[in-house]
Amino acid sequence: MAIQWSEFRKISEVRRGGLRASINAAGVIALNRKAWEDLGEPDAAILLYDEYNRVIGLKPAHPRLENAVPFRTKYANQKRFVIRAIALCNHLGFKIGNTLIFRNPTITDGVLVLELRDTYEFNTRRNFREHGAEV
């Protein structure tokens, strides 16, 4: 019998004080307070996308700019900040099934960088599954 091993890649642990971001089936990107604050507490952002590297970027912007999308708060106590990216998802032609959690959101040159290749899937049954962002 030939054994074909696959390495188990553990799911990122929740780190207090770390940046957290996700995108759901409705195309809503949610950030935790830390990510929003480190981005400069913007009222809006311009959505960026690198198709080759499969990366979404959020660049802080004034809400009156033509392509700016406003941030909203998810809860009354302002724990999560959301931005609607469904138009971007539709434009690029990808569909998201269950919510994707970005493993390592970073801020580079003032842009929040969200790598679709480095996500895990969260579904409503509280199951986690590795995901290579086949969207």
Side-chain angles (χ1 to χ4, degrees), residues 4 38 70 73 77 81 86 88 124:
Q4 295 183 4
D38 285 3
T73 55
N77 60 2
F81 298 82
I86 191 66
L88 174 68
T124 56

Side-chain angles (χ1 to χ4, degrees), residues 42-48 59-70:
D43 292 327
I46 293 176
L47 299 169
L48 307 170
K59 181 180 176 183
H62 190 281
R64 291 190 188 146
L65 286 177
E66 181 180 356
N67 294 323
V69 181

